[in-house]
Amino acid sequence: MKRILITGGTGFIGKNINFPLEVKISSQDVDLRNWKDTLNLFKKHQPDIVIHCAARHGNFKEMEQNKVEFFRDNQAIDLNVFEASNQVGVTQLIALSSVTAFPFEIETEISESDLHQGEPHPSCYTYGYNKRMLDILCRSYNEQYGVNYTCALLTNMYGPFNDFNLESATVVSNLIHKCYIAKQTNSDFKVYGDGSPVRDFMYVEDLTDIFNILLDKKYNEPVIISTGESISLKKLVTIIVNKFRFTGNVIWGNETSVGQQKKVASNKKLLQVSDSISFTSLEDGISKTIDWFMTTKK
C-alpha cells in the first residue's frame, strides 16, 4: 500500500480527507517555506503520493493588505513541495488550487480552458496568480520528469472544520454562524447583498473519494472539482434557515455591489474521468455542517 503525505494536514481541507497509510503535516511540523527543512521532512517520510493542501490563507482584506507576503510565501511553499516530492521519487501529486485562479470577468460557466485567459480578481490577484501557477508547476514537472502531478481547482468548499469566525469565514460558514446568532438572540438574520448572485458549493468530505479516483487513474491534467450545480445565495439562505428552524426575519442588505453576479465552475471534465463520482446534496451537506457546528457550541 502506498504512503501518502498530506501537507496542510491541520487545515480545513487536510482535516477532511483521509487515506490509509497517510501522514498529515502542518506548520507545527515544518516550515515549508524553508527548502532544507522541507527536503529533510520528505526524506524522513519517503512518501509515494503527496496531497498538497498547504498554503498561506486569509480573507480578502488580508490578501489586499499583504500582497507581497501572500505571493512570496505561497510561491516558496509550492516550489519546495514540488521539488522535494520529485527528489524523493514521488510520482503522483495532487496540488489544490482554487477557482480564485480563474479570470474574474468570465460570466459564463468556468471551464479548465479559461484558466489563463484573463486576470484574477483585483482584490486577490497575487493569491489568484499563485494558485494559477500550480497548473504550470504540474505541467512542467509532468513534461520534464514523466510524473503524474495534477492541479485540482476546487470550487467553494464547506463542511466540518471550516472557519466559522465571522471576520474571516467563507460564505456558507459565515451564514450558518449568523443564523445561529440570530436564533439564539431572537434577532433579525441580516444578510449582505440582495441574494441574487449565483455560486456552486461542494461538501468537503466528498473530496477523498474524488482524489482516490484521480490517483487510481493516474490523472495528470488540470481539473475542476465541482458539483456543477448552481444556486442563488437567497436559496442557500433558505436552506440554512429551514435547517435551523429559524422563524425570525431575514433582512437583506441594499448594497449596490454584490460581487460577481455568476461564478459557477463546470465539472464536465471531472465526470469524464469517472462516471461513478457522486456528490452530497446541498441540503444534506448543510445539515451535516450545521450538526457539526452545533457540537462545537456545546
Side-chain angles (χ1 to χ4, degrees):
M1 190 173 291
K2 294 185 175 181
R3 295 180 299 279
I4 297 179
L5 177 68
I6 300 172
T7 68
T10 60
F12 168 48
I13 302 294
K15 284 182 177 179
N16 279 288
I17 53 176
N18 295 284
F19 298 89
L21 281 183
E22 69 177 10
V23 175
K24 293 186 177 183
I25 62 168
S26 71
S27 57
Q28 297 175 349
D29 304 299
V30 63
D31 183 354
L32 292 174
R33 298 170 299 179
N34 183 292
W35 163 241
K36 289 184 179 179
D37 290 350
T38 302
L39 181 60
N40 287 336
L41 182 135
F42 274 63
K43 285 180 176 179
K44 172 185 175 182
H45 292 292
Q46 290 292 314
D48 301 297
I49 295 169
V50 170
I51 310 293
H52 179 35
C53 308
R56 177 172 179 171
H57 296 289
N59 58 35
F60 284 105
K61 182 179 180 181
E62 291 169 331
M63 287 188 278
E64 176 72 21
Q65 294 176 342
N66 301 285
K67 296 181 178 72
V68 172
E69 290 81 3
F70 270 87
F71 190 79
R72 180 187 61 209
D73 289 352
N74 282 315
Q75 283 287 286
I77 290 169
D78 295 339
L79 289 169
N80 288 341
V81 166
F82 272 71
E83 185 55 23
S85 297
N86 187 53
Q87 288 202 20
V88 302
V90 171
T91 57
Q92 288 186 278
L93 178 149
I94 297 176
L96 302 195
S97 183
S98 162
V99 292
T100 307
F102 282 93
F104 79 98
E105 292 183 327
I106 297 176
E107 292 289 347
T108 57
E109 191 176 56
I110 298 168
S111 68
E112 290 82 358
S113 62
D114 296 318
L115 184 57
H116 300 284
Q117 301 304 312
E119 298 272 346
H121 197 279
S123 66
C124 57
Y125 71 90
T126 57
Y127 184 79
Y129 271 121
N130 175 263
K131 287 301 179 183
R132 190 179 296 185
M133 288 303 102
L134 286 170
D135 171 52
I136 302 301
L137 277 172
C138 287
R139 195 191 316 172
S140 57
Y141 271 83
N142 290 342
E143 292 175 357
Q144 186 165 338
Y145 297 109
V147 290
N148 292 290
Y149 291 2
T150 303
C151 176
L153 298 132
L154 304 186
T155 188
N156 302 293
M157 309 301 299
Y158 71 94
F161 301 106
N162 207 348
D163 181 1
F164 285 87
N165 185 316
L166 291 179
E167 294 298 319
S168 54
T170 53
V171 174
V172 173
S173 53
N174 179 277
L175 291 172
I176 286 174
H177 198 171
K178 281 184 175 179
C179 190
Y180 166 80
I181 291 172
K183 182 169 182 177
Q184 292 297 112
T185 58
N186 196 28
S187 58
D188 294 337
F189 178 16
K190 297 179 180 180
V191 186
Y192 178 86
D194 62 3
S196 64
V198 174
R199 300 289 186 268
D200 57 323
F201 301 95
M202 181 174 157
Y203 187 59
V204 67
E205 291 184 355
D206 292 341
L207 282 175
T208 298
D209 287 342
I210 293 173
F211 289 165
N212 269 319
I213 289 170
L214 293 175
L215 293 170
D216 213 39
K217 301 279 187 179
K218 292 183 168 58
Y219 196 77
N220 64 3
E221 295 181 10
V223 61
I224 292 170
I225 311 295
S226 165
T227 65
E229 296 182 0
S230 59
I231 184 173
S232 71
L233 296 187
K234 184 163 285 190
K235 178 65 183 297
L236 173 63
V237 167
T238 299
I239 293 172
I240 293 171
V241 164
N242 289 341
K243 170 61 182 175
F244 270 115
R245 294 187 175 90
F246 175 71
T247 58
N249 297 319
V250 177
I251 307 298
W252 292 92
N254 56 6
E255 293 83 3
T256 56
S257 174
V258 292
Q260 194 169 335
Q261 192 62 30
K262 183 177 182 180
K263 189 174 184 181
V264 178
S266 169
N267 69 353
K268 292 178 183 177
K269 190 173 181 181
L270 176 64
L271 296 181
Q272 289 173 356
V273 178
S274 173
D275 58 8
S276 66
I277 293 174
S278 61
F279 304 96
T280 301
S281 70
L282 188 61
E283 288 81 1
D284 288 346
I286 293 294
S287 180
K288 291 178 181 179
T289 303
I290 290 175
D291 288 344
W292 180 89
F293 172 75
M294 294 303 294
T295 65
T296 70
K297 292 298 172 188
K298 294 179 180 177

